Amino acid sequence: MGIIKLQIDDFSSVDYQLIAIHSTLEDYRLAYFVNQTLSVSFEKSQKDIGIQIPEGKSHFTRFIYEDQENELFWNLIPNKTKVITKQTKATSLFEETELDITTNIYLLPELKKVDYLLKIEQVDDFFDTETLLEELLTIRQITTAYSIDQSKLKSKNNLIF
């Protein structure tokens, strides 16, 4: 009897499109402008994305939109969040001072310059990414937007939520 070997890669399929967005807007303002331009309806999700790091647990807010007509699920997520940790430091022999240390945490650390990620799930071969990018770039507050190749990401497991 032969041995059947299954590779994990056999089950992984890329059924989502990932777009990087560079903008200095707050997340709720970006969602507002994207809603106006693309005729979508992003809403703030009650469930944040949590990632465990050595300093503690970090949370990323997200805005979601379910396109029932095209059977697509959209997520707008900031790539960066801040975690404040407290550290006690001895300032003299009998006195200690508590310091707040702010650390930047990235959802995709290899893309530190990206401000927001737009993840569109359940896309097929007919999804027009180029038109979407052109429409995003018409938003004056977006500096640039481009598609990301998921196969080159080291931390793509952070996108499973």
Side-chain angles (χ1 to χ4, degrees):
M1 183 165 162
I3 297 175
I4 297 175
K5 207 173 176 182
L6 295 176
Q7 298 290 331
I8 297 284
D9 294 337
D10 293 342
F11 296 106
S12 65
S13 65
V14 179
D15 64 340
Y16 64 92
Q17 183 66 44
L18 194 61
I19 295 174
I21 299 174
H22 294 258
S23 176
T24 57
L25 289 174
E26 294 290 326
D27 55 359
Y28 64 92
R29 300 234 336 137
L30 179 63
Y32 171 77
F33 286 120
V34 171
N35 283 346
Q36 283 188 328
T37 305
L38 300 179
S39 299
V40 295
S41 183
F42 276 109
E43 296 177 353
K44 189 169 190 309
S45 174
Q46 298 297 324
K47 295 183 180 180
D48 290 345
I49 301 167
I51 294 181
Q52 187 65 36
I53 56 168
E55 293 85 8
K57 190 165 187 170
S58 63
H59 297 277
F60 294 87
T61 59
R62 81 173 170 167
F63 290 81
I64 56 173
Y65 166 64
E66 189 172 351
D67 182 1
Q68 294 178 352
E69 181 181 320
N70 298 313
E71 297 178 355
L72 298 173
F73 193 74
W74 300 49
N75 290 282
L76 180 65
I77 313 143
N79 189 37
K80 179 172 83 170
T81 190
K82 295 183 185 216
V83 174
I84 299 173
T85 56
K86 300 208 180 281
Q87 185 178 28
T88 306
K89 183 178 180 182
T91 54
S92 68
L93 184 59
F94 300 107
E95 187 177 319
E96 290 183 347
T97 304
E98 193 170 274
L99 302 171
D100 289 339
I101 298 176
T102 304
T103 308
N104 288 330
I105 307 300
Y106 297 92
L107 187 64
L108 298 178
E110 58 269 27
L111 300 172
K112 289 185 178 180
K113 296 192 185 263
V114 173
D115 296 313
Y116 294 95
L117 299 166
L118 180 60
K119 180 183 175 189
I120 306 167
E121 298 178 45
Q122 300 173 350
V123 296
D124 55 11
D125 294 335
F126 301 108
F127 186 77
D128 191 5
T129 306
E130 293 303 317
T131 303
L132 174 65
L133 288 172
E134 288 173 7
E135 289 176 356
L136 282 173
L137 290 173
T138 62
I139 300 173
R140 197 169 42 95
Q141 291 83 357
I142 292 181
T143 308
T144 188
Y146 50 89
S147 185
I148 298 173
D149 185 7
Q150 297 96 330
S151 64
K152 296 181 181 176
L153 293 176
K154 294 178 186 173
S155 55
K156 59 184 159 193
N157 288 342
N158 291 350
L159 295 172
I160 300 172
F161 42 81

